[in-house]
């Protein structure tokens, strides 16, 4: 009888211990790993979302066409210590820029940015440069790029070890190899806004997180995820190719569509 009672007690104790789950602070992950000394090492690791680093110290564009205003806001806030939001900069660009042309092209130009920067008391200018000039550049610069058939503005943060690090208003903090950046750099233009009495800040300085390298395939994937509209011109170009026809499938509603998993359209020969 005594043995039975002790057995039940031991089973109850074991089940109770298994069921006990220690609570950890929100955002922390409990991590255990064996050590050479014998006992298991335990610690709590603070896990942060990728977005906290990806869009750190930059203004994320609110609209498909507002990369210019977001890039300028990023430079003004993170480098020059101003405190604007993108809407204020957009309103300023519409007021001091070429309003009719802005509406027509649905976007802002470097000339619009220069006019607003002047109104805010900052000298600025556009410069032609070469890749070698980026290695000694001592100011962040707004740079036009042509990528995936679209014109876009990014903020060039720094060159380091053969990579160009940029703050992209759409994709976040990313990097390009020198060769890839040279390929997409539109007309080798740099647009620089100078402090003019404002103390430069280090908000665009590189961090340990920035020093990871991202391959071109990953950057393409991020672009397609952020702006699916990027895929449409590519599909249209492929549709016009004389030796290719789209491979169709039927969805649940009975509508035929081009197979697109998730961003690459598949084709077969005629």
């Amino acid at each position: 009888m005594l043995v039975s009672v002790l057995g039940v007690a031991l089973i109850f104790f074991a089940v109770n211990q298994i069921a006990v789950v220690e609570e950890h602070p929100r955002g922390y992950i409990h991590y255990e790993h064996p050590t050479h000394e014998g006992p298991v090492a335990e610690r709590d690791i603070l896990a942060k979302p990728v977005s906290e680093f990806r869009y750190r110290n930059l203004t994320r564009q609110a609209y498909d066409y507002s990369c210019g205003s977001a890039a300028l806001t990023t430079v003004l806030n993170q480098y020059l210590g101003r405190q604007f939001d993108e809407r204020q900069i957009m309103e300023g660009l519409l007021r001091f820029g070429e309003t009719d042309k802005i509406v027509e092209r649905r976007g802002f130009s470097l000339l619009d940015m220069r006019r607003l920067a002047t109104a805010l008391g900052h000298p600025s200018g556009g410069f032609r440069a070469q890749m070698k000039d980026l290695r000694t550049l001592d100011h962040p610069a707004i740079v036009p790029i042509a990528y995936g058939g679209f014109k876009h503005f990014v903020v060039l943060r720094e060159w380091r070890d053969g990579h160009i690090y940029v703050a992209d208003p759409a994709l976040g903090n990313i990097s390009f190899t020198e060769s890839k950046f040279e390929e997409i750099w539109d007309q080798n233009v740099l647009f620089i806004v100078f402090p003019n009495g404002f103390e430069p800040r280090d908000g665009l300085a590189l961090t340990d997180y920035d020093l990871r390298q991202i391959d071109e395939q990953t950057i393409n994937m991020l672009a397609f995820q952020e702006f699916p509209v990027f895929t449409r011109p590519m599909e249209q170009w492929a549709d016009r190719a004389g030796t290719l026809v789209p491979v169709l499938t039927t969805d649940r509603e009975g509508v035929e569509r081009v197979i697109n998993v998730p961003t690459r359209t598949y084709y077969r020969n005629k």
Side-chain angles (χ1 to χ4, degrees):
M1 182 65 179
L2 179 59
V3 174
S4 299
V5 172
L6 289 175
V8 171
L10 288 172
I11 292 174
F12 174 80
F13 178 77
V15 171
N16 186 58
Q17 289 297 315
I18 292 173
V20 172
V21 178
E22 293 185 8
E23 293 187 1
H24 298 282
R26 184 176 179 83
Y28 282 81
I29 297 175
H30 185 67
Y31 175 69
E32 299 181 1
H33 63 90
T35 63
H36 295 294
E37 290 75 18
V40 174
E42 302 183 42
R43 59 175 174 163
D44 291 332
I45 301 174
L46 178 60
K48 297 182 179 181
V50 172
S51 59
E52 186 172 324
F53 301 98
R54 184 173 164 189
Y55 293 100
R56 177 181 176 272
N57 289 358
L58 67 82
T59 299
R60 189 173 181 178
Q61 66 187 77
Y63 307 97
D64 291 351
Y65 55 83
S66 67
C67 58
S69 57
L72 183 57
T73 306
T74 296
V75 170
L76 290 172
N77 291 355
Q78 303 302 328
Y79 177 58
L80 301 178
R82 308 299 294 264
Q83 295 184 4
F84 296 107
D85 58 39
E86 187 189 8
R87 175 171 289 277
Q88 291 174 307
I89 296 303
M90 290 178 70
E91 292 173 351
L93 289 168
L94 285 168
R95 178 181 177 184
F96 294 98
E98 299 177 299
T99 307
D100 293 339
K101 292 184 178 180
I102 291 173
V103 174
E104 180 182 349
R105 75 172 85 93
R106 290 179 58 80
F108 304 108
S109 69
L110 292 178
L111 178 59
D112 300 325
M113 297 183 202
R114 182 175 183 180
R115 289 181 173 182
L116 178 57
T118 300
L120 293 174
H122 295 287
S124 63
F127 305 91
R128 297 277 187 179
Q130 300 178 14
M131 289 299 300
K132 63 180 182 180
D133 298 322
L134 304 186
R135 300 187 179 192
T136 57
L137 188 66
D138 55 1
H139 295 277
I142 296 175
V143 177
I145 63 174
Y147 199 68
F150 288 82
K151 300 290 188 178
H152 189 48
F153 286 115
V154 299
V155 178
L156 193 156
R157 299 171 64 189
E158 188 176 327
W159 172 95
R160 187 177 297 189
D161 298 330
H163 281 76
I164 308 298
Y165 292 84
V166 304
D168 188 317
L171 306 182
N173 293 301
I174 60 175
S175 65
F176 294 97
T177 62
E178 281 187 324
S179 58
K180 184 60 182 179
F181 187 80
E182 187 172 20
E183 177 186 329
I184 65 175
W185 189 7
D186 190 12
Q187 301 182 53
N188 288 48
V189 172
L190 297 174
F191 178 73
I192 298 176
V193 182
F194 296 98
N196 193 32
F198 284 80
E199 184 67 26
R201 305 295 180 89
D202 61 355
L204 292 172
L206 297 186
T207 65
D208 290 341
Y209 179 80
D210 295 311
L211 296 179
R212 73 208 188 290
Q213 310 301 337
I214 299 182
D215 58 271
E216 182 183 348
Q217 182 179 2
T218 301
I219 293 175
N220 288 340
M221 180 189 70
L222 293 174
F224 291 142
Q225 288 176 344
E226 196 68 32
F227 294 105
V229 69
F230 283 173
T231 63
R232 293 174 193 166
M234 297 180 186
E235 292 176 358
Q236 292 169 358
W237 297 334
D239 286 340
R240 288 194 293 267
T243 59
L244 298 174
V245 293
V247 179
L248 301 178
T249 186
T250 304
D251 61 22
R252 294 179 181 178
E253 299 178 355
V255 178
E256 283 193 333
R257 61 179 179 82
V258 175
I259 295 178
N260 187 23
V261 184
T263 57
R264 184 176 296 281
T265 303
Y266 291 85
Y267 293 88
R268 61 179 169 79
N269 290 326
K270 284 183 178 179

